[in-house]
Amino acid sequence: ARVNVVGGYVIKHKFDALSQERSLSGVISAVNQLCLVLKDRNTPPKIALLANKLRDEFGADIALLARIVKNVKVLSPEFVSPAAAEEAGGGDKMNARSVGFTLSRFMRLVSSPKHPVMLFLDDLQWADDTALDVIHTFLSDKIGSCMFFVGTYRDNEVHAGHAVFDLMKKLESSHVPTNKVSLTGLDREDLNTMISDALCLYPRICKSLSEVVM
């Protein structure tokens, strides 16, 4: 909410067990969501200005962007070409490096210090190395994008060689500032406090219920 207040944009996606069958769909879904947010949060003149910037940046490659990010059409109807509309599968059938490069170019134009983009990806234990490579491309871009990334995963569902750890190493190698926060489960006292607050009851009354939940 605070990101939105200062003029930024928050986009998010939750990975699941099917994500590895559609490796890039999660990241592309988040960027598609960003197009809708841009449309809703900006005036028509600002949308027209953004469309002009995209047109100047991508040129003939705008069809490639439209093929990957279908919702870019909400910024300008002309961004949908017959060839792009007929493509099935979108970014999932493309090379991950090409997708990452194209999306990074898009992010440079739509993000800025005044309008940063926060990308939140949940359940990264279901993400594969292809999706996380694209995230690395986003975050290591030194040309001009303004992004803040938050990723979460369940540490009891990842092994030592999981791609999420490889992403952390790559970000460090690329000198991208990172912070890792480990969250433990609630203890009995904290759980009882949370339940008593939710039910508006004294903690002593909720103890038996807390034991059941625990």
Side-chain angles (χ1 to χ4, degrees):
R2 187 170 291 182
V3 177
N4 288 330
V5 169
V6 299
Y9 308 112
V10 179
I11 54 177
K12 54 191 175 181
H13 179 77
K14 182 180 179 68
F15 287 95
D16 55 34
L18 298 177
S19 297
Q20 294 183 349
E21 297 178 10
R22 298 170 284 111
S23 58
L24 294 176
S25 62
V27 179
I28 293 171
S29 173
V31 180
N32 269 312
Q33 182 185 140
L34 176 58
C35 292
L36 299 179
V37 173
L38 290 167
K39 174 70 172 178
D40 291 341
R41 294 272 303 278
N42 288 281
T43 62
K46 287 184 177 181
I47 292 295
L49 180 61
L50 177 58
N52 285 333
K53 288 182 178 180
L54 288 170
R55 203 175 290 110
D56 292 341
E57 165 66 23
F58 283 90
D61 289 340
I62 197 69
L64 176 62
L65 176 64
R67 175 185 171 190
I68 299 172
V69 185
K70 299 293 193 295
N71 282 350
V72 76
K73 65 177 180 282
V74 304
L75 304 178
S76 177
E78 70 180 88
F79 290 161
V80 179
S81 66
E86 291 170 5
E87 284 287 350
D92 279 339
K93 291 188 175 183
M94 297 180 62
N95 179 277
R97 182 172 296 181
S98 176
V99 172
F101 177 67
T102 301
L103 295 182
S104 289
R105 292 171 68 189
F106 178 75
M107 285 296 185
R108 287 173 205 151
L109 287 174
V110 302
S111 65
S112 68
K114 287 186 177 181
H115 300 289
V117 173
M118 184 184 126
L119 172 61
F120 172 55
L121 297 179
D122 193 14
D123 281 344
L124 288 177
Q125 71 271 11
W126 294 114
D128 68 357
D129 54 353
T130 304
L132 296 181
D133 278 346
V134 173
I135 296 302
H136 175 256
T137 301
F138 277 175
L139 301 177
S140 60
D141 178 29
K142 301 185 185 302
I143 296 179
S145 62
C146 187
M147 288 189 65
F148 179 72
F149 172 68
V150 178
T152 65
Y153 66 92
R154 302 181 187 186
D155 58 6
N156 63 330
E157 295 184 16
V158 294
H159 52 80
H162 193 278
V164 71
F165 299 118
D166 190 38
L167 172 63
M168 293 179 189
K169 291 178 182 177
K170 287 180 178 178
L171 290 175
E172 290 178 3
S173 298
S174 300
H175 305 291
V176 177
T178 59
N179 287 299
K180 181 179 179 182
V181 179
S182 297
L183 301 178
T184 58
L186 295 173
D187 58 27
R188 281 181 168 79
E189 183 177 350
D190 290 335
L191 177 63
N192 190 55
T193 299
M194 184 180 72
I195 291 176
S196 68
D197 287 345
L199 299 179
C200 298
L201 297 173
Y202 290 114
R204 59 184 171 76
I205 299 177
C206 299
K207 279 188 176 181
S208 58
L209 177 59
S210 298
E211 290 296 326
V212 173
V213 175
M214 199 74 182

